[in-house]
Amino acid sequence: MSPKQTLTEWDSGLLDCCQDKSSCCYGFFCCPCLACSVAGKFGENRCLPLCDMLSPAVLTAFGIPLFAPPAALSLRVGIRNRGGVKGSMCNDILSSCFCMWCTWCQMHREVPQEKPHRHQHAACAPLIGS
């Protein structure tokens, strides 16, 4: 995100499932599949969301509680930062922890709607003096 870019709201609200019934049904009947699709569309490994499903059981077995789902939280923050969407880490944690299906559905609605300029990275900028 460039310093001059103005922040916008999410294209759809967290509870706007009726806006896109297909992603809502996809998330309701197969949330792991939806989550893997979101990760793939965002350019991450499609298996990344499986960490959210496997890590609580493994960590709890070793006595380490896990409350925030790491993949959902990371992808949400990444989508928000790359897309110039207003928000805070606190809101991302709350929505990822307490409304997981809605969070994945919102991210699924947001990722395909990203504008081409939203995928520019600072690392891709030409170096001056090279």
Side-chain angles (χ1 to χ4, degrees), residues 19 27 78 128:
Q19 187 177 11
I128 299 173

Side-chain angles (χ1 to χ4, degrees), residues 1 7 10 38 42 44 48 52 68-96 103-104 106-107 110-111 114 118 121:
M1 186 172 77
L7 297 178
W10 287 90
V38 170
F42 190 65
E44 295 294 334
L48 182 65
D52 287 350
L73 180 59
S74 301
L75 283 170
R76 184 171 175 82
V77 170
I79 290 169
R80 191 171 50 76
N81 285 333
R82 188 184 290 177
V85 176
K86 290 180 191 176
S88 69
M89 191 70 141
C90 184
N91 287 340
D92 293 333
I93 291 170
L94 289 173
S95 58
S96 296
T103 299
W104 282 114
Q106 183 184 38
M107 290 189 291
E110 186 75 19
V111 172
E114 286 189 341
R118 288 185 169 184
H121 296 284

Side-chain angles (χ1 to χ4, degrees), residues 35-46:
C36 292
S37 295
V38 170
K41 286 180 182 182
F42 190 65
E44 295 294 334
N45 187 313
R46 288 186 178 273

Side-chain angles (χ1 to χ4, degrees), residues 5 16-17 24 29 56-57 63 72 76 82 113:
Q5 185 178 15
D16 285 347
C17 290
C24 182
F29 290 110
R76 184 171 175 82
R82 188 184 290 177
Q113 296 174 2

Side-chain angles (χ1 to χ4, degrees), residues 26-39 46-50 52-53 100-101 104:
Y26 187 23
F28 180 77
F29 290 110
C30 193
C31 191
C33 299
L34 175 78
C36 292
S37 295
V38 170
R46 288 186 178 273
C47 296
L48 182 65
L50 299 178
D52 287 350
M53 293 160 220
M100 178 75 79
W101 284 314
W104 282 114

